[in-house]
Amino acid sequence: MPGAGVNAPLEFTSTYIADGPVNYARVGNPTWSAFEEALGGLEGGDALVFSSGMAAVSAALSLVPLGGAVVVPSHAYNGTTSLLDQLAATGAAVVRRVDPTDQDAVRTALDGAALLWIESPTNPMLEVSDIPALVAMARECGALTVCDNTFATPLVQQPLADGVDVVLHSVTKYLSGHSDVILGALVTPSTDAGRELHARLSTARLLGGAIAGPMETWLALRGLRTLHVRLERATGNARELAARLEGHPAVTRTRYPGFGAIIAIEVEGGPDAAERVATATTLWTHATSLGGVESQIERRRRYPAEPETVPEALLRLSVGIEDVEDLWRDLDRALTGR
Ligand SMILES: *Cc1c(COP(=O)(O)O)cnc(C)c1O
């Protein structure tokens, strides 16, 4: 429209003048709609923004009937597994942990299950699932599927196209991309069944109250505009660094799925040596989280909630968009203790 701003409106209001389409801002906000339209377009469905990735996880788990069984990767994001443990402790859900790459184990675990939780690649072990195969198994058992697509982003994989029922994002990570907001989202397919799920999840947001702030949503929308450029650069950097790390004498194992910008390495000398590397870098930020323009490094087992099957000396590297030679110099120096 001539004269209109080129950006979506940032609307701060708690309520609206009566008799319009939305009557109160816990129901909707124009800034949410702009973000949801953009993310829905990328994932090929209808999006709902939440106040955090975990708020989106909570809403997605509200689809599980009381006492229902949830099949989840052993190395899923530890906030997700901790929440599932809490639900299990009160009898609200039954939790079955599996290696998602072991399809026989998944098939067995799915017997009578209400929900299959997919996270691919997993955090931080970077296991990659065959999403269409898992969806087919879940369908056979009548289980819903949720796919946490935070690591891959819709530019790498679009799980709705593989038949997944609900896609989840910690928008905090790649989608906003600048380490300045906490936000989450769910996306459902634009089918009759998808629209029904969308309505249930929208009600979970409305009544659970975990709604996104307009400012955070606006920042996420701004970040989303450069997702493809950031991810292309970060992925190029990650490919190069993963190849060099493979041959590094201080690195005993490199995990890189071949796409995306997260690498996991194990270093010589155990957890203390790994901590020393994480704190010795200067360009890489020693911090939790990932998906920002700046590179981040962290030893995941510093968290008691991290499963014991994650190696003690594993460092998760979230590769940013800096100059790859600068990143390598800093990492190599930290690894060799120079
Ligand atoms: C960070 C993260 C979450 C949780 O999101 P928040 O925005 O921190 O609440 C969920 N899943 C994955 C894979 C994550 O990395």
Side-chain angles (χ1 to χ4, degrees):
M1 198 206 309
V6 295
N7 285 299
L10 170 51
E11 185 143 332
F12 289 114
T13 190
S14 63
T15 191
Y16 303 93
I17 295 165
D19 302 326
V22 177
N23 75 329
Y24 188 54
R26 188 154 34 76
V27 181
N29 174 294
T31 317
W32 293 2
S33 304
F35 176 78
E36 290 171 347
E37 204 177 301
L39 179 59
L42 287 171
E43 288 287 5
D46 303 312
L48 289 163
V49 63
F50 286 80
S51 56
S52 66
M54 283 309 298
V57 172
S58 296
L61 290 176
S62 76
L63 297 173
V64 178
L66 191 64
V70 179
V71 179
V72 62
S74 316
H75 298 128
Y77 174 67
N78 72 26
T80 304
T81 52
S82 297
L83 178 57
L84 280 167
D85 286 346
Q86 282 196 6
L87 295 175
T90 62
V94 171
V95 181
R96 299 177 185 160
R97 289 166 200 265
V98 291
D99 170 357
T101 64
D102 180 347
Q103 293 190 11
D104 290 335
V106 176
R107 190 176 288 108
T108 306
L110 273 171
D111 185 32
L115 182 76
L116 171 63
W117 195 273
I118 301 171
E119 187 180 308
S120 183
T122 54
N123 179 1
M125 298 288 270
L126 303 176
E127 293 130 333
V128 174
S129 296
D130 181 341
I131 297 176
L134 297 188
V135 167
M137 282 189 244
R139 284 226 172 122
E140 246 170 62
C141 301
L144 282 174
T145 46
V146 175
C147 180
D148 186 332
N149 205 24
T150 301
F151 271 39
T153 85
L155 301 190
V156 171
Q157 69 191 13
Q158 297 159 337
L160 296 181
D162 292 330
V164 162
D165 296 305
V166 182
V167 164
L168 183 143
H169 279 284
S170 170
V171 176
T172 311
K173 315 291 168 51
Y174 286 104
L175 300 187
S176 30
H178 295 74
S179 309
D180 52 8
V181 297
I182 297 228
L183 212 65
L186 297 175
V187 196
T188 45
S190 309
T191 57
D192 286 347
R195 272 186 282 274
E196 197 187 311
L197 287 172
H198 190 271
R200 288 170 67 189
L201 295 166
S202 174
T203 301
R205 178 176 71 177
L206 174 69
L207 301 181
I211 58 159
M215 185 74 220
E216 283 75 9
T217 311
W218 191 88
L219 283 170
L221 184 60
R222 181 164 79 164
L224 199 56
R225 295 169 77 169
T226 54
L227 173 65
H228 59 302
V229 184
R230 289 184 283 107
L231 196 66
E232 191 180 300
R233 170 66 173 247
T235 302
N237 283 352
R239 280 212 178 98
E240 181 60 31
L241 293 176
R244 294 188 193 183
L245 285 162
E246 283 280 0
H248 199 286
V251 176
T252 56
R253 179 156 180 192
T254 302
R255 291 179 169 85
Y256 178 63
F259 59 87
I262 309 284
I263 305 171
I265 56 170
E266 286 166 53
V267 301
E268 198 77 67
D272 294 344
E275 280 295 337
R276 273 197 299 278
V277 173
T279 50
T281 54
T282 54
L283 181 57
W284 295 74
T285 307
H286 181 213
T288 198
S289 200
L290 57 104
V293 289
E294 67 288 302
S295 295
Q296 294 164 334
I297 183 166
E298 183 184 39
R299 188 176 75 89
R300 288 302 291 174
R301 281 293 297 283
R302 61 209 310 267
Y303 300 104
E306 203 67 16
E308 284 179 6
T309 42
V310 173
E312 281 272 20
L314 181 142
L315 291 167
R316 186 183 66 197
L317 312 181
S318 170
V319 181
I321 65 168
E322 302 93 334
D323 183 90
V324 69
E325 296 303 337
D326 288 347
L327 288 173
W328 176 249
R329 212 173 297 120
D330 189 37
L331 191 58
D332 177 47
R333 192 186 44 75
L335 282 166
T336 40
R338 273 181 280 132

